Amino acid sequence: MEGVKFPAYSSFHAYSKSHFSQIRQLKTLSREMRFAMRVVATALPFRVNQYVIDQLIDWDNVPDDPIFQMTFPQPGMLSREHFEEVATLLKSNADNKTIMNTVHRIHMELNPHPAEQMTLNVPMLNGVPLQGIQHKYRETVLFFPTQGQTCHSYCTFCFRWPQFAKEKELRICIKEGLNLHEYLKGHKEVSDLLVTGGDPMVMKSSSLSRYLLPLRSPDFDHIQTIRIGTKALTYWPQRFVSDNDADELLFTFEKLVKSGKHIAIMAHYNHWREMETPIAREAIRQVRNTGAVIRAQGPLLAHINDDKDVWATMWRKQVRLGMTPYYMFVERDTGAYRHFKVPLARAWEIYQGGIQQVSGLARTVRGPSMSASPGKVEIQGVAEVKGETVFVLRFLQGRNPDWVERPFFAKFDPDATWLNHLKPAFGEERFFYEEEFEAMRTRREKKNKLDY
Ligand SMILES: *Cc1c(COP(=O)(O)O)cnc(C)c1O
Ligand code: SF4
């Protein structure tokens, strides 16, 4: 690709709900459909950029196009009652305050904080809760840099929707990097730092390097791996190719690799169509040239990728482009979940149906996995044991590392879509980890009360 230029979209341009009328392609859609999109975008976050609109969405296939489903508001994302409520307000030109109050109440009914991220995972430094850091599994610390809490486009199914929905003032926290470094220094059991968001790739390269380059010092020898969770390879591959500071970004990756760190770009992909454009492929090549590896992960979603062949094609293409398929997630029980959820039984069939079609190099992907409060729980399959149909489950990650890789069993339920719908098999009262998990939770609640 030497010499290939990418002149279009050299500068980033995004639309939000107030700019619907400026999106040329929407003009061909029916009036009803455009109104429905406005209704949903009033209640849930919306942001899409010109590259996604022009290069990724197949407008001849709207509304079924998976990339359209992934980025534009869909009527099914709200319940009928919520939809009607907002529609009525918009039709009657209700004032902003009335709309915001209704929207706020709707948000509260959409399970805005699943898996207790807010309360259970925030660590302490010198007795003070550390904003921007989560530490749930022994080996891995999550870091949410303030400047990386938005994305180049928003996914309609995103479980982080509450943070995008809030018109929050950007909390500039200069101490954040220092906190991160101090915390990591004191936790030698941590081998992985996972920088996440939003999308940390919306940050300037200089900010990212300020956080990451100090990790080359001997104080951080225990940090073997730096992972960066991103969907920029899909939504804004220009970030790695033609943005003003793309070179600086790639150089930062290279420096970290040279210093002996493993750099893993945790690329969020939902469909093989995301990696078809020349610039998306160039971005993958550029990242790989630095010595970083790309691991691919993403949720299974109705209307987008609930099809074994879509996954098989995606995994094959990822391997071919030099990426490692890593996780297939189950969509979390929050936000627009109603539109995207897939029953666990069906999720496993899709995973199995996809895996059966690919070679061993693509079978590195694990799943379908639920990131639930006690840990990441994988559905290993459906089996008959002593006349009872059961789900076979295991922890891929647990709040207690000792839970990992212990098979356990739940009654088969064709409609269950999340861990809390499952009941233990064989007439047992509780799953093996539940008592201990309850105790952890109680301990943490007491501690929170003391601290605040
Ligand atoms: C998924 C996840 C990790 C990383 O787990 P791996 O299995 O090592 O990829 C770390 N912390 C949290 C909170 C997670 O959800
Ligand atoms: S890129 Fe990730 S964080 Fe951003 S909207 Fe999509 S799923 Fe959410």
Side-chain angles (χ1 to χ4, degrees):
M1 294 295 281
E2 213 61 44
V4 173
K5 289 258 165 52
F6 301 97
Y9 319 107
S10 53
S11 70
F12 180 79
H13 184 69
Y15 301 88
S16 66
K17 69 176 175 211
S18 36
H19 309 112
F20 268 133
S21 60
Q22 296 169 20
I23 302 176
R24 181 175 52 83
Q25 285 89 338
L26 291 183
K27 295 195 174 33
T28 60
L29 305 182
S30 71
R31 188 180 281 271
E32 291 75 28
M33 201 160 152
R34 276 181 292 166
F35 179 69
M37 283 165 54
R38 252 185 73 212
V39 170
V40 177
T42 301
L44 292 166
F46 167 70
R47 175 178 161 92
V48 67
N49 72 60
Q50 196 71 52
Y51 166 75
V52 174
I53 295 171
D54 290 347
Q55 299 270 305
L56 294 187
I57 294 174
D58 173 5
W59 289 92
D60 292 333
N61 189 28
V62 164
D64 295 336
D65 181 72
I67 315 289
F68 178 73
Q69 290 279 334
M70 187 189 293
T71 49
F72 276 84
Q74 306 298 323
M77 287 165 57
L78 291 178
S79 69
R80 182 164 289 275
E81 302 83 74
H82 286 163
F83 186 95
E84 288 307 329
E85 228 179 316
V86 178
T88 309
L89 290 179
L90 292 187
K91 278 181 193 152
S92 64
N93 287 320
D95 61 275
N96 203 35
K97 186 148 182 286
T98 312
I99 295 177
M100 290 334 280
N101 284 341
T102 303
V103 164
H104 180 73
R105 183 172 41 72
I106 292 175
H107 286 173
M108 289 302 139
E109 292 168 25
L110 295 176
N111 188 22
H113 300 299
E116 296 165 292
Q117 291 223 8
M118 307 297 281
T119 49
L120 276 176
N121 304 338
V122 177
M124 303 284 182
L125 186 69
N126 308 325
V128 180
L130 278 182
Q131 295 310 317
I133 295 180
Q134 290 182 10
H135 192 181
K136 179 172 177 180
Y137 306 128
R138 190 176 51 196
E139 296 79 14
T140 307
V141 163
L142 266 53
F143 177 49
F144 299 76
T146 310
Q147 314 93 310
Q149 298 313 307
T150 181
C151 306
H152 294 102
S153 277
Y154 290 152
C155 305
T156 40
F157 52 81
C158 180
F159 71 88
R160 295 198 174 110
W161 63 272
Q163 89 177 46
F164 306 135
K166 263 187 274 171
E167 289 293 332
K168 61 173 172 115
E169 75 293 2
L170 260 184
R171 198 173 34 87
I172 303 297
C173 181
I174 317 160
K175 276 183 61 194
E176 199 172 57
L178 295 174
N179 283 345
L180 171 72
H181 296 147
E182 201 181 331
Y183 186 78
L184 291 178
K185 265 185 210 169
H187 287 265
K188 300 293 183 201
E189 77 280 14
V190 175
S191 61
D192 289 36
L193 170 66
L194 171 46
V195 186
T196 182
D199 193 325
M201 286 296 115
V202 303
M203 276 196 282
K204 287 200 169 57
S205 304
S206 56
S207 306
L208 191 75
S209 48
R210 205 159 37 242
Y211 292 127
L212 298 186
L213 290 179
L215 300 178
R216 295 177 298 172
S217 111
D219 289 338
F220 303 103
D221 270 350
H222 56 299
I223 306 298
Q224 297 177 19
T225 302
I226 298 166
R227 308 193 213 179
I228 301 174
T230 182
K231 203 171 171 72
L233 284 168
T234 294
Y235 284 157
W236 191 243
Q238 290 78 350
R239 183 70 192 87
F240 307 95
V241 178
S242 53
D243 272 7
N244 285 337
D245 57 351
D247 286 347
E248 188 184 346
L249 177 69
L250 298 170
F251 197 40
T252 299
F253 291 171
E254 214 172 289
K255 282 184 192 159
L256 289 163
V257 170
K258 288 228 170 83
S259 78
K261 304 291 186 198
H262 175 63
I263 304 302
I265 303 303
M266 309 305 289
H268 174 188
Y269 283 114
N270 308 101
H271 202 285
W272 53 265
R273 289 254 313 279
E274 295 168 58
M275 34 197 174
E276 293 292 281
T277 65
I279 194 159
R281 299 217 163 169
E282 180 62 14
I284 293 167
R285 252 190 307 272
Q286 292 291 350
V287 169
R288 293 187 60 226
N289 274 344
T290 68
V293 304
I294 307 174
R295 297 181 202 278
Q297 57 184 17
L300 168 60
L301 305 149
H303 304 285
I304 293 177
N305 61 17
D306 54 340
D307 175 343
K308 62 180 167 47
D309 297 339
V310 167
W311 284 88
T313 305
M314 180 164 81
W315 291 330
R316 270 191 231 109
K317 281 184 194 275
Q318 284 166 349
V319 170
R320 183 170 193 158
L321 294 168
M323 302 189 268
T324 307
Y326 186 59
Y327 270 136
M328 172 201 263
F329 293 119
V330 176
E331 175 64 351
R332 283 195 190 176
D333 53 342
T334 177
Y337 176 62
R338 57 172 46 255
H339 187 62
F340 298 107
K341 68 184 172 187
V342 176
L344 300 176
R346 173 98 185 103
W348 172 66
E349 279 172 18
I350 291 169
Y351 173 82
Q352 190 201 26
I355 279 288
Q356 285 176 346
Q357 301 179 47
V358 298
S359 91
L361 290 190
R363 290 183 187 170
T364 48
V365 63
R366 291 170 303 164
S369 168
M370 293 175 269
S371 295
S373 197
K376 280 191 169 63
V377 177
E378 184 194 58
I379 302 133
Q380 291 210 275
V382 177
E384 284 283 321
V385 181
K386 293 191 189 160
E388 187 173 338
T389 310
V390 297
F391 282 117
V392 184
L393 307 164
R394 67 165 168 166
F395 278 98
L396 298 171
Q397 282 290 2
R399 266 181 208 279
N400 179 349
D402 192 49
W403 299 344
V404 173
E405 295 288 347
R406 292 182 191 279
F408 64 107
F409 305 90
K411 276 186 198 153
F412 181 76
D413 174 350
D415 303 319
T417 54
W418 195 251
L419 184 64
N420 62 356
H421 302 156
L422 298 180
K423 301 271 180 296
F426 315 128
E428 280 167 24
E429 290 268 305
R430 317 183 84 182
F431 291 119
F432 78 93
Y433 60 87
E434 283 188 294
E435 199 171 313
E436 195 183 341
F437 177 54
E438 276 307 318
M440 286 176 175
R441 198 191 247 151
T442 313
R443 240 184 354 256
R444 182 64 208 231
E445 273 163 14
K446 280 205 188 113
K447 204 164 158 213
N448 283 353
K449 276 210 192 90
L450 290 177
D451 287 331
Y452 291 111

